[in-house]
Amino acid sequence: LGFLKEQPLDNISKEKRSKIMRAIKSGNTRPELCVRRIAFSLGYRYRTCDTRLPGRPDLVFRSRKKVIFVHGCFWHVHERCPISHIPKYSLWRQKLLANRKRDRNVLNALQREGWRCLVIWECELTALDNVQKRIVEFLG
Ligand SMILES: [Zn+2]
């Protein structure tokens, strides 16, 4: 968590913060749908939100024993991403740090059980070509 200490004071304006929050609320499931559509169009078939696995991965490729998570940058605290800035003095802070810790535990648990995991971040969806490439490289 070293990078958190280097964060400057919470200097995002109120206006900008509320804009970000609105975008997050309204776009909550969109990134996930976008990744599903890409994987599907590439010919991959998957289950969604498999509750038998730790963390309910967004896309599950059982025969390959691989999963893809689609993470919102804010809620899942994407490092060095402008959307994921952690407020220094805010009620959000504890919540976000807890999310981050939980995500790590989930990935560790899956890997221990022999699953390979790919995390696709919300901000990556501005370059769909790259996302496509990453999915193909990951799934083979
Ligand atoms: Zn991001």
Side-chain angles (χ1 to χ4, degrees), residues 17-120:
R17 160 103 46 231
S18 70
K19 198 174 165 193
I20 291 171
M21 296 309 297
R22 267 202 310 279
I24 288 159
K25 270 184 197 151
S26 65
N28 214 11
T29 59
R30 218 162 35 97
E32 189 187 317
L33 293 179
C34 182
V35 171
R36 277 190 212 163
R37 217 173 293 136
I38 292 171
F40 191 87
S41 72
L42 289 168
Y44 298 112
R45 297 298 175 260
Y46 47 82
R47 291 169 191 267
T48 56
C49 301
D50 194 328
T51 52
R52 288 170 297 179
L53 293 176
R56 290 181 46 183
D58 297 305
L59 290 81
V60 177
F61 306 85
R62 283 214 159 257
S63 59
R64 294 178 159 84
K65 220 169 177 196
K66 291 177 182 176
V67 300
I68 295 179
F69 286 95
V70 184
H71 279 352
C73 296
F74 180 78
W75 293 113
H76 295 272
V77 193
H78 191 196
E79 275 184 61
R80 291 175 206 90
C81 167
I83 307 176
S84 79
H85 174 88
I86 294 189
K88 192 162 187 176
Y89 304 107
S90 159
L91 294 172
W92 290 111
R93 188 180 168 82
Q94 288 310 312
K95 167 83 180 139
L96 293 176
L97 292 177
N99 284 352
R100 191 182 153 80
K101 195 171 170 196
R102 195 194 50 213
D103 286 342
R104 267 199 208 137
N105 290 339
V106 162
L107 291 182
N108 286 338
L110 283 165
Q111 277 156 10
R112 268 199 307 275
E113 292 175 27
W115 290 84
R116 292 191 50 214
C117 310
L118 175 70
V119 174
I120 292 177

